[in-house]
Amino acid sequence: MLLDMPTTDKNQNRYWGWGYQNHEYDPHKASLFLHLLAQRFALNTLAPKQIPPTVEQFSIPKTKLSEEFIARWKERGLSLKNEDRLFHAAGKSYRDLIRIRTNTLARFPDGVLFLQDAKHLDSLFVDAKKLGITLIPFGGGSGVVGGTECVGPVNNTIVVVDVTKLDRLLSIDHTARTVRAQAGIFGPKLENELNRQGYTLGHFPQSFEFSTLGGWLATRSAGQNSTKYGKIENMVQSLVIHTPKGVIETHQVPASATGPSLKHLLLGSEGIYGIITEAVLKIHPLPQSQKFSCAFFENFEQGLTCVRTIMQADITPSVVRLSDADETSFFLDLMLSKKWQKKLLPHWFNFKGLGNHPCFMLIASEGQTTHTNFHLDKIRSLIRSTHGKLVPRKFAAKWKKDRFELPYLRDNLMDHGFFIDTLETAAPWSKLLGIYESMKLAFFEQKSHQLLMACHLSHAYKDGASLYFTFMGVQKRGHEIAQWEEIKDLATNVIMSQGGTLSHHHGVGYDHKKWMVQEETPVGIEVLKAIKKELDPEGLLNPGKVV
Ligand SMILES: Cc1cc2nc3c(=O)[nH]c(=O)nc-3n(C[C@H](O)[C@H](O)[C@H](O)COP(=O)(O)OP(=O)(O)OC[C@H]3O[C@@H](n4cnc5c(N)ncnc54)[C@H](O)[C@@H]3O)c2cc1C
């Protein structure tokens, strides 16, 4: 269970892709996957590898920050370096990366303030108000919904406030089992320090290595073990947020009934209400054991029934992941290294009555060994009773090994001219299959793009679950953004029309904002805007996002 990942070094990160500059997805598996995609799209050859532009090739305009501001903030962490302005100009969505790769990013921040001390925020807000500067809070920059996008009038002066220097674990309360940490701490540092003291937070988003506590809180993130530990909003006991109106520190208690929950209004605020600087979170003893069950189902519907049955039987797995037939097929292509395994498996599927398009599921149980074993037995018996066919756990070991590596594969795909984007939602059990089938139909019926769609269920609840879609296709060179927009619109419209939420864990940002009127009633939107007006009357913070 110990992850023991090296502490994140943001200076070594790619501005044009995922993760570390000197790290690649397994080249053999990447090549295999690329050729498989080429085959699926009937391409004779792979498009030649595109080399992203160097920092020097971007036309980053001269900063609009005044001499006065620069003089005052330089010694408090302000950087005007082009590499910093470029890295902080976008997040990590397909739209972000394609604009960087094609050198079509229109706006760059005028400076990046590497915040040294939360106490500096009061004077920063005063200066921003006086000089008309827009402030964009920034954690790891791993967001995928345009949450850190530089938007607003073109002559706005923009400073990105990077919180990652505030990265200390401050204290652990062993009696209450809580940790207090600064918001800029990256996943590995927080988890490693907790592990050393025998604890885990239990929050492992796929972006774990390159995202921060503040970013998780600001976007209401969900980790891969969320079915047991909850989303980040279920873990947080209290938080400190600096707004232009003043500091709010929510009461540090396990529960209360003192009117509406202010804490929950601030969670998910995506930098529009204030800058989160600290939080107290629940922690758990490191699990003694973690055990997986793996199974195949004849179709996605059967798998959904199995997950629902498990969740409604008062069993709390930690990881739940059910892939549809297309995702299963990609997973097997990447995970099975031996040719004979790939040849034999279809025969086994047929022998077991699973047909030609089976769906793979993995479920983990973790905690005290007695708890793990008890739940594992129950899970396995429910898998059998819902027509699942159990397979060895080594399938899960392969998934576990690759889970933080897969984002690197997106870079390989983009290098060779493939479109790849992901999108997620959540809905009650009664609507999940409808969303899935409507999405399949919508993509089958559209003729503008040659696309493959894969889907998995993760983050399961008693009353519903989250679905995560991946779309892959061939890039329309010269029209990459228009292509992305069409696909994004099509998929999001399906989700909204079928009763799903606009986002289960990525957030709203800039990209999803136009659909918020379908997510909330007009009065609800007015309330969210009124809070913004109250906390940030001059609109200094992250304009153009959420509402
Ligand atoms: C490959 C990949 C995999 C991903 N996997 C997951 C996943 O499994 N689960 C998941 O939930 N998400 C996932 N994401 C999305 C992303 O990692 C999350 O949204 C994450 O929570 C963002 O954290 P960050 O520190 O990178 O924030 P940033 O990207 O820097 O910022 C995100 C938003 O939060 C605001 N913000 C950041 N820090 C603060 C702060 N201290 N105070 C106020 N506002 C702040 C920003 O203004 C912005 O609006 C993934 C993204 C990628 C690219």
Side-chain angles (χ1 to χ4, degrees):
M1 274 311 293
L2 292 172
L3 273 175
D4 207 20
M5 264 185 188
T7 304
T8 313
D9 181 357
K10 204 170 160 184
N11 293 326
Q12 301 301 321
N13 283 5
R14 287 177 182 160
Y15 55 88
W16 52 268
W18 184 247
Y20 290 122
Q21 285 162 24
N22 58 2
H23 189 84
E24 299 278 343
Y25 189 68
D26 177 328
H28 171 71
K29 286 203 289 186
S31 157
L32 191 135
F33 194 74
L34 284 166
H35 284 94
L36 202 97
L37 271 191
Q39 216 177 13
R40 293 265 194 123
F41 292 118
L43 304 175
N44 292 330
T45 49
L46 274 182
K49 184 171 172 170
Q50 284 177 308
I51 309 293
T54 60
V55 178
E56 294 70 34
Q57 284 172 303
F58 288 88
S59 308
I60 301 176
K62 198 170 166 297
T63 181
K64 296 190 287 304
L65 286 167
S66 66
E67 291 298 329
E68 181 199 350
F69 183 89
I70 295 171
R72 208 170 24 253
W73 287 93
K74 205 131 201 198
E75 66 206 30
R76 287 193 265 176
L78 180 68
S79 165
L80 303 178
K81 285 188 201 151
N82 278 354
E83 45 271 46
D84 289 330
R85 292 174 64 196
L86 172 59
F87 186 86
H88 293 81
K92 293 286 180 239
S93 69
Y94 176 80
R95 176 171 171 268
D96 293 326
L97 299 181
I98 202 77
R99 285 180 301 165
I100 291 174
R101 283 165 170 269
T102 53
N103 203 341
T104 51
L105 203 55
R107 299 194 62 180
F108 300 87
D110 291 281
V112 178
L113 179 70
F114 291 94
L115 188 68
Q116 314 284 311
D117 189 330
K119 289 195 196 105
H120 294 168
L121 283 171
D122 284 349
S123 44
L124 182 67
F125 290 138
V126 171
D127 280 2
K129 184 175 162 186
K130 192 170 85 188
L131 302 167
I133 296 172
T134 292
L135 303 172
I136 303 182
F138 200 98
S142 70
V144 285
V145 291
T148 50
E149 175 96 14
C150 297
V151 285
V154 274
N155 47 1
N156 258 18
T157 307
I158 298 175
V159 170
V160 165
V161 184
D162 182 309
V163 188
T164 57
K165 298 275 183 231
L166 306 184
D167 70 341
R168 283 186 303 127
L169 185 155
L170 297 169
S171 60
I172 292 181
D173 179 338
H174 296 277
T175 312
R177 285 201 180 144
T178 55
V179 60
R180 179 179 283 271
Q182 291 184 305
I185 194 164
F186 280 97
K189 182 169 178 188
L190 177 57
E191 188 63 18
N192 288 345
E193 291 195 16
L194 286 173
N195 286 180
R196 275 196 279 280
Q197 306 225 34
Y199 299 109
T200 179
L201 178 64
H203 189 67
F204 306 105
Q206 195 182 39
S207 55
F208 176 74
E209 226 175 328
F210 303 103
S211 56
T212 61
L213 172 58
W216 300 340
L217 295 166
T219 58
R220 288 162 73 188
S221 155
Q224 290 160 344
N225 298 32
S226 71
T227 305
K228 176 180 169 78
Y229 298 102
K231 290 181 76 200
I232 197 77
E233 67 240 46
N234 311 115
M235 301 177 181
V236 61
Q237 201 181 58
S238 69
L239 56 86
V240 181
I241 186 167
H242 291 243
T243 78
K245 208 60 189 281
V247 179
I248 302 176
E249 176 161 11
T250 65
H251 201 178
Q252 195 200 324
V253 285
S256 77
T258 47
S261 164
L262 194 55
K263 175 178 80 179
H264 283 100
L265 275 176
L266 301 170
L267 288 165
S269 56
E270 298 187 32
I272 67 167
Y273 292 163
I275 300 185
I276 301 166
T277 54
E278 252 177 65
V280 177
L281 303 123
K282 294 175 221 171
I283 50 176
H284 310 264
L286 272 171
Q288 265 179 357
S289 62
Q290 182 191 53
K291 289 185 183 164
F292 279 88
S293 291
C294 299
F296 284 93
F297 292 88
E298 192 182 353
N299 53 50
F300 199 52
E301 185 175 3
Q302 252 184 23
L304 288 180
T305 305
C306 175
V307 179
R308 178 171 55 78
T309 309
I310 290 171
M311 294 308 298
Q312 292 176 347
D314 276 339
I315 298 168
T316 330
S318 52
V319 183
V320 178
R321 194 181 165 104
L322 168 72
S323 299
D324 76 346
D326 283 301
E327 194 178 274
T328 299
S329 148
F330 287 125
F331 173 72
L332 293 176
D333 280 324
L334 278 176
M335 298 304 147
L336 299 179
S337 47
K338 311 257 178 343
K339 273 197 180 144
W340 64 265
Q341 292 173 320
K342 288 184 188 170
K343 266 199 167 157
L344 265 188
L345 209 57
H347 297 292
W348 184 82
F349 288 146
N350 273 321
F351 173 69
K352 288 285 182 182
L354 289 164
N356 296 326
H357 306 288
C359 296
F360 176 67
M361 180 181 78
L362 60 83
I363 293 202
S365 171
E366 69 187 58
Q368 295 285 320
T369 304
T370 44
H371 163 102
T372 308
N373 291 341
F374 176 74
H375 280 235
L376 196 76
D377 284 348
K378 283 191 127 189
I379 288 169
R380 291 169 81 80
S381 116
L382 289 173
I383 289 175
R384 284 190 206 96
S385 68
T386 49
H387 312 291
K389 307 291 179 220
L390 288 158
V391 288
R393 287 170 206 160
K394 54 181 171 229
F395 282 95
K398 301 238 182 212
W399 169 80
K400 232 179 133 178
K401 188 161 169 269
D402 228 31
R403 64 187 171 145
F404 298 120
E405 287 293 308
L406 268 175
Y408 285 97
L409 182 59
R410 177 174 63 162
D411 290 349
N412 297 83
L413 264 59
M414 291 182 75
D415 282 348
H416 291 281
F418 288 107
F419 170 92
I420 171 157
D421 198 17
T422 61
L423 195 132
E424 43 77 42
T425 184
W429 288 113
S430 48
K431 291 184 177 164
L432 275 187
L433 191 64
I435 294 179
Y436 174 72
E437 285 180 342
S438 305
M439 193 71 89
K440 280 219 103 154
L441 188 67
F443 276 84
F444 176 75
E445 283 179 344
Q446 64 79 35
K447 299 290 171 221
S448 331
H449 309 278
Q450 216 191 339
L451 284 173
L452 288 170
M453 181 196 110
C455 174
H456 68 252
L457 170 153
S458 50
H459 317 292
Y461 306 91
K462 278 191 165 56
D463 51 345
S466 166
L467 290 180
Y468 189 95
F469 294 93
T470 303
F471 302 101
M472 285 175 281
V474 179
Q475 266 173 21
K476 287 194 171 162
R477 287 282 162 89
H479 304 279
E480 293 90 349
I481 293 297
Q483 178 186 29
W484 172 83
E485 265 165 6
E486 277 179 38
I487 294 167
K488 179 86 174 175
D489 283 2
L490 181 64
T492 309
N493 288 337
V494 170
I495 286 174
M496 299 316 285
S497 67
Q498 295 298 314
T501 175
L502 183 51
S503 174
H504 170 263
H505 57 267
H506 284 165
V508 183
Y510 174 72
D511 297 352
H512 286 159
K513 188 181 160 187
K514 67 178 175 187
W515 285 282
M516 273 298 270
V517 290
Q518 293 178 47
E519 180 81 15
E520 300 293 349
T521 55
V523 178
I525 300 279
E526 285 315 309
V527 171
L528 295 178
K529 283 185 176 165
I531 297 169
K532 164 88 178 155
K533 197 138 189 62
E534 185 59 34
L535 294 177
D536 179 21
E538 278 80 24
L540 305 175
L541 282 163
N542 219 3
K545 318 289 162 56
V546 188
V547 284

